[in-house]
Structure formats: structure tokens, C-alpha cells
Amino acid sequence: MKKILIIFLAFLFTLALRAQDISLKVEYPSVVNAGEQFTIMWTVNSGGGEFAAPSFNGFTKLMGPQTSYSSSTQLINGKMSHQTSYSYVYYLQASREGKYVISPAEFTFKKSNLCIKFPAFNNFLKSDIATPPLTSLRQENVRGTIYGTGVVQQFLLYPQVTGDIEIDPVQISVLVQQKSKQSDPFFGDFFTSYQTIPRSVASQSMKVHIKPLPGVKPADYSGVVGQLSMKAALNKDTVNVNDPVNFTITVTGNGNLKVAAAPELKLTPDIEVYDPKITDDLKNSITGTSGQKTFEYLLIPRHNGDFIIPPVTYSFFNTSSGRYEKLTTREFRFHAKKGSDQNSGGITVYGGVSKEDVKYLGKDIRFIKSDPGNLAKAANIILSRRSFYSFYAFAALAFIVILFLRREHIRRNSDVSQVKNRKAGKVAVKRLHNAAICLKNDEIDRFYEEILKAVWGYLSDKLSIPVSEMTRSNAVTALSDRGVDEQLLDSLKNILDTCEYARYAPSASETGASDIYEKTSQFIKSVENLLT
């Protein structure tokens, strides 16, 4: 069974500080337009310090700083590496034209009284435990000598492999005060002088035996060892086709929650699902890690109808019972209805047709008129005229020509995918026209929606891929197979990223929308020329 290891480091001396490898990096755009909003972000690879931003002369500070923390752990060939970073983000606006220089920011690291080299903790997932500053020492008898001792730092360790693992010693550099000469026999230590001598000391290494988890791991095993509970929620039960639904799963408990994997959703292909947004609220203590981890999935139905999210299962190893246990959510349902403008423009943006759209026409037979009417004898018989035969020959020839053209028309239109392929450009132009109207009326949100519909509808018709199966990866692969160059593929990715971001987190300007319109129009024209 995996164990939680808490390492207490106790030292017997008052120590001095050695500099640490700390870096402060900045990211910012080199060119912006007058009046444009932009961000500048500083990132430092260490905490425990104070960040001081420069003055933003020539710019208007809209917001900031927004701070964030990130941590990443990698286990490669049995060796684990851990990196942390703190980010400070400011939102600025360029006031007027010109060249400006932003002064450097400063990060002041708070020094302690130790120079310490901690172990690498290979094969462990390490988390720091908040440790109060060492302000006083506790006396302790060590092999007959009284020392002042205290806890400097505590770590929470989760082993990632089985077997015997050795933890390297802790190494420190200390300054020890020693008498420079013997005490005077008459005056004692009154006239004794001391000198400071640097010395390096190290703790003993430690060995820990890690047992494997018993039994067979379930297919839906989360990687968590501890105790868990799970709940799920759906934010809407009715949406329009191609509008998002947020499905949230929250796991709460204690154990190695930092490595908890995202639950797997088993959904119909008619629902497009994005990678979950993962947030956590975890606290480390000497008893372990506790808190919750949230997985937020963005689901987009691609045609109208009723949809089901089957129960989601999530297994973990319960340290109390000593066996694997499974958590299960309930089943969720939601309905996707047609949008008001989905049949405009000559295309549909959903992947299927419901049964209600198929109508039976049962009254297509009309009665024959039974009234004989008024009969009269014709004065001349048309068969006696020469023009009749000329007209007959001309009509026969016209019939043959029309029959040939009709069959050719039927043949060309029998392949629905080819018809859509030929008309893809015209349909996309109509969609772009709708987007231009939205932009002119300052309907920015609707503008990005029309742009997305134009792009997805055009790619679906041009590549003969149903909209319900159309994804970014499918589109990029199909275009690449047809000889579309990387520059156009990058343009497509940029268009989709900008539209999706602006649609679900609206902050775009009219200038940015105009640029996206031009890029989309140019992309469709370029692909049309290549694939025609």
C-alpha cells in the first residue's frame, strides 16, 4: 500500500543564506495600435518574495495585478522533476502613438537563515507543507550534548513506484563559533575570543519500502489513494443546436488528489466534447492532502433532439478498507432545439434530420371531370398542313436534347456530396454576407457565430464530412491530404481560436472582428481555388 511520507528537517545551528537560482521573465507585445488593449505578464520561478511592478508611463492601467500559480510534475524513466511558477498579469491600454520603454520589474526574495540543499526526492511527488518561521529553538539532548533544535521545512511525499526508495541526505552549510584560545586560569572566559568557522554537515539517508496496491486496477481507476466522494451537475437542460452546455464533475476527499485523472465521458458522436477545464482547491498538512478537484467539460450538440449523458464511473483505492471502490454519478438528460436561423442561407448546421421533419402527403389524387362539355367540328385538320411535320421534327429534336440535358442534370445531382462541394463557395459567401450585416449593426457576438457557421458549413460541404463528425483535427487532416499548405492551415486554426474565444469570453473589438472577416474570406477563396 502506498504511504504518505512527511519529512521533518531539524537543524542544530543558526545558519547563513546562500543565493538561489531565481529567474524573472516578462512577456509582452512589441507593437500595438493606439487605443488597443493588451497584457504584460511577469513570471518568476519561486515564491516567498515580493513583486514590484514598474510605472506604466504612456499607458493606461486597466486592471492588475492578477496573480496565478502553476505547478508541474514529470516522471520520466523513474526520475521525477517538479517546477513551479508565479505569474503577475497587468492589463494596459495604449494611449497614443509613439515609442515607449517599460522599466524593469523587481522581485525581492525573502532570505532566511539557512543554506540548504534538499534531496531531489526522486520517485516521489512532493508538496510543501506550510511551516511557521523558526523564531525559537527547543533544547534537546543529542548523545550527551544539549542542542537547540527546530523544524525548518516539512514536505508531503507520495511515492510513484514500488520497491525500496532511498532519500538522499539533506546538506547544509553552517557557521560555527569556536574559541580561538584556551580560557585564562584566573579570569575564565572573560578575555576569551571566538572565531567563526564554516562547516558543511549532512543528515543520514533514509530508505522507504513501498508496497504495490493489491488486486487488479479497474479500467476507470483515477490514480487516487485515499478517500473520495463525487458529484456532478449540468448547467442547462435545454439549449439551441451548436450552443454549449457545461457539465461539471467535482471529486472531494483526501489523498493524492493532485494526480487525480479526469473522468472519462462516454457520449454519442453527435455531441462534441472539449478537454476539461481543471481547477483544484487543495490543502497540505501533516495528515495529508485534502480538498476538492473540479473537472468542467464543454459539450456542444451538433443536431437537434434529446441527448443523454450516461452515468460516469470513477474508481479509487480506499486506504481505510484496503480495496478499490467505485463512485458513480446519475444519468443526465438535455434537449437541443433548432435555432431560429438554422435553415437560412441554404445550409443546415446540425448533423441529422428528425422524424418530425418527414411528412406524408396523402391527398395528391384529384377526381377526373365527368362533364362532357361542348363539342364542335373542326374546320381544318392539322395533319393536312406541311408546317405540322416541320414542327413535329423540331419538337422531336428538342425533346431528345432536353432528355439528354435532363439525364445529365440528374446524374450530376444524384451525388449529394458533389452538389454540396460545387455550391460550398456560394453558400459560404451568403454566410459571410450575414456576418457583414451583423458587424455593421454592431452585433459582435452574432458576428462570430455567423463566421463559425460559415467556416464549418464550408468545410463540411467541401470536404464531404458531415457536420456532426466535423472536428478541428478532421478538418486539418482532410485539408492537408488535399495539398493545402501549412500557412492556410495556421490561418484556419487562428480563425477558429479567435471566434471560439470571442464567443464564450467576449472581449473583442470591432477592429479585430473586421480582421477576422477578411481572414475568413481570404481563407475560403484560397481553399476554393485549390480544391476546385
Side-chain angles (χ1 to χ4, degrees):
M1 184 184 303
K2 293 185 178 179
K3 298 181 179 179
I4 301 174
L5 301 182
I6 304 171
I7 306 301
F8 295 88
L9 301 179
F11 300 96
L12 310 179
F13 306 96
T14 301
L15 309 173
L17 176 74
R18 185 189 302 171
Q20 301 184 14
D21 295 329
I22 301 176
S23 63
L24 180 62
K25 299 180 180 180
V26 62
E27 297 181 11
Y28 62 95
S30 58
V31 179
V32 296
N33 294 321
E36 181 180 353
Q37 300 177 11
F38 65 97
T39 61
I40 180 170
M41 179 177 67
W42 284 274
T43 303
V44 64
N45 62 346
S46 175
E50 294 183 355
F51 175 80
S55 59
F56 301 104
N57 296 329
F59 301 95
T60 302
K61 187 174 78 170
L62 303 177
M63 187 185 301
Q66 287 188 350
T67 60
S68 63
Y69 165 80
S70 65
S71 175
S72 63
T73 303
Q74 292 183 336
L75 181 63
I76 302 177
N77 297 327
K79 294 184 178 181
M80 181 172 294
S81 61
H82 184 73
Q83 295 180 345
T84 59
S85 66
Y86 293 79
S87 299
Y88 304 85
V89 181
Y90 290 82
Y91 295 84
L92 308 178
Q93 185 177 33
S95 301
R96 54 186 180 274
E97 297 181 358
K99 294 184 179 180
Y100 300 92
V101 177
I102 299 178
S103 303
E106 295 181 355
F107 182 82
T108 304
F109 183 75
K110 295 182 179 179
K111 300 182 178 181
S112 65
N113 61 343
L114 300 177
C115 305
I116 307 173
K117 183 180 180 181
F118 293 114
F121 297 115
N122 295 327
N123 301 319
F124 287 99
L125 177 61
K126 176 180 73 70
S127 297
D128 296 342
I129 299 178
T131 306
L134 187 60
T135 57
S136 62
L137 300 178
R138 180 174 60 88
Q139 289 188 338
E140 183 177 347
N141 189 328
V142 180
R143 294 188 294 273
T145 303
I146 303 299
Y147 293 95
T149 66
V151 177
V152 175
Q153 181 63 55
Q154 302 175 81
F155 299 103
L156 192 62
L157 303 181
Y158 290 99
Q160 302 299 301
V161 296
T162 60
D164 293 327
I165 303 178
E166 183 174 357
I167 300 177
D168 296 332
V170 178
Q171 300 179 6
I172 60 174
S173 297
V174 299
L175 297 176
V176 181
Q177 287 187 339
Q178 291 185 350
K179 294 180 181 180
S180 58
K181 59 181 180 179
Q182 294 182 350
S183 301
D184 189 277
F186 297 100
F187 297 97
D189 294 335
F190 184 79
F191 292 105
T192 301
S193 60
Y194 293 85
Q195 59 180 351
T196 302
I197 300 176
R199 179 179 299 176
S200 296
V201 295
S203 66
Q204 296 180 349
S205 61
M206 300 175 57
K207 286 188 177 181
V208 183
H209 179 71
I210 309 301
K211 299 180 180 179
L213 295 176
V216 180
K217 295 181 181 179
D220 57 355
Y221 177 54
S222 63
V224 176
V225 177
Q227 294 182 338
L228 287 183
S229 62
M230 180 173 65
K231 63 180 181 180
L234 189 67
N235 70 328
K236 300 177 184 177
D237 58 7
T238 302
V239 295
N240 292 327
V241 171
N242 296 316
D243 282 347
V245 178
N246 290 332
F247 182 60
T248 304
I249 297 178
T250 303
V251 292
T252 307
N254 58 72
N256 55 337
L257 294 176
K258 183 177 291 187
V259 300
E264 181 180 359
L265 304 186
K266 298 180 180 179
L267 304 175
T268 173
D270 295 324
I271 301 178
E272 185 172 354
V273 57
Y274 289 82
D275 292 336
K277 175 184 177 183
I278 303 176
T279 57
D280 56 51
D281 182 13
L282 304 177
K283 296 181 180 179
N284 299 318
S285 65
I286 59 174
T287 58
T289 301
S290 61
Q292 68 179 21
K293 197 168 187 178
T294 303
F295 306 89
E296 184 177 356
Y297 297 85
L298 184 68
L299 312 180
I300 300 180
R302 289 306 185 188
H303 73 78
N304 65 294
D306 294 318
F307 294 94
I308 297 176
I309 302 177
V312 180
T313 60
Y314 201 66
S315 296
F316 68 99
F317 186 84
N318 193 326
T319 53
S320 299
S321 61
R323 64 174 183 270
Y324 293 99
E325 295 186 4
K326 179 178 293 187
L327 303 174
T328 306
T329 66
R330 67 178 179 87
E331 179 182 276
F332 289 86
R333 296 173 178 266
F334 68 94
H335 177 74
K337 58 184 180 180
K338 294 181 180 179
S340 59
D341 62 341
Q342 276 196 303
N343 289 327
S344 64
I347 64 170
T348 57
V349 294
Y350 50 89
V353 179
S354 64
K355 296 179 180 179
E356 290 76 8
D357 291 333
V358 181
K359 304 295 183 181
Y360 172 70
L361 302 178
K363 297 182 179 181
D364 57 349
I365 299 178
R366 298 291 181 265
F367 291 104
I368 299 175
K369 187 177 181 180
S370 58
D371 186 3
N374 298 322
L375 300 178
K377 185 177 180 180
N380 297 317
I381 300 177
I382 193 172
L383 294 178
S384 61
R385 300 179 180 179
R386 295 181 178 179
S387 59
F388 169 78
Y389 296 99
S390 299
F391 177 79
Y392 183 82
F394 176 77
L397 180 61
F399 175 77
I400 294 174
V401 173
I402 293 174
L403 181 62
F404 174 79
L405 295 177
R406 176 60 178 170
R407 288 185 176 180
E408 182 66 16
H409 177 74
I410 294 175
R411 184 188 65 81
R412 286 171 58 85
N413 288 275
S414 60
D415 190 344
V416 178
S417 62
Q418 289 297 325
V419 175
K420 290 184 177 180
N421 184 291
R422 292 196 301 270
K423 296 183 178 180
K426 295 182 180 179
V427 174
V429 170
K430 293 181 180 180
R431 277 290 178 186
L432 289 177
H433 178 68
N434 293 339
I437 295 175
C438 295
L439 181 61
K440 183 178 180 181
N441 296 334
D442 201 21
E443 299 177 359
I444 302 301
D445 293 342
R446 179 114 181 256
F447 166 78
Y448 284 107
E449 182 179 353
E450 291 295 335
I451 290 293
L452 281 176
K453 290 178 181 179
V455 173
W456 286 122
Y458 174 76
L459 293 177
S460 175
D461 293 342
K462 202 67 180 179
L463 302 177
S464 300
I465 301 176
V467 178
S468 60
E469 300 177 7
M470 176 66 68
T471 62
R472 181 180 301 196
S473 60
N474 290 349
V476 171
T477 301
L479 289 172
S480 179
D481 293 341
R482 286 166 171 79
V484 177
D485 55 35
E486 289 294 332
Q487 185 176 0
L488 278 179
L489 296 180
D490 292 339
S491 177
L492 172 62
K493 296 175 183 178
N494 178 263
I495 293 170
L496 295 178
D497 289 340
T498 303
C499 291
E500 291 177 354
Y501 179 81
R503 188 180 179 192
Y504 302 124
S507 61
S509 63
E510 185 175 349
T511 303
S514 300
D515 293 340
I516 286 297
Y517 179 86
E518 294 298 331
K519 289 181 180 179
T520 305
S521 177
Q522 186 61 39
F523 169 78
I524 292 176
K525 291 179 181 177
S526 300
V527 175
E528 191 72 12
N529 293 333
L530 288 174
L531 302 185
T532 300

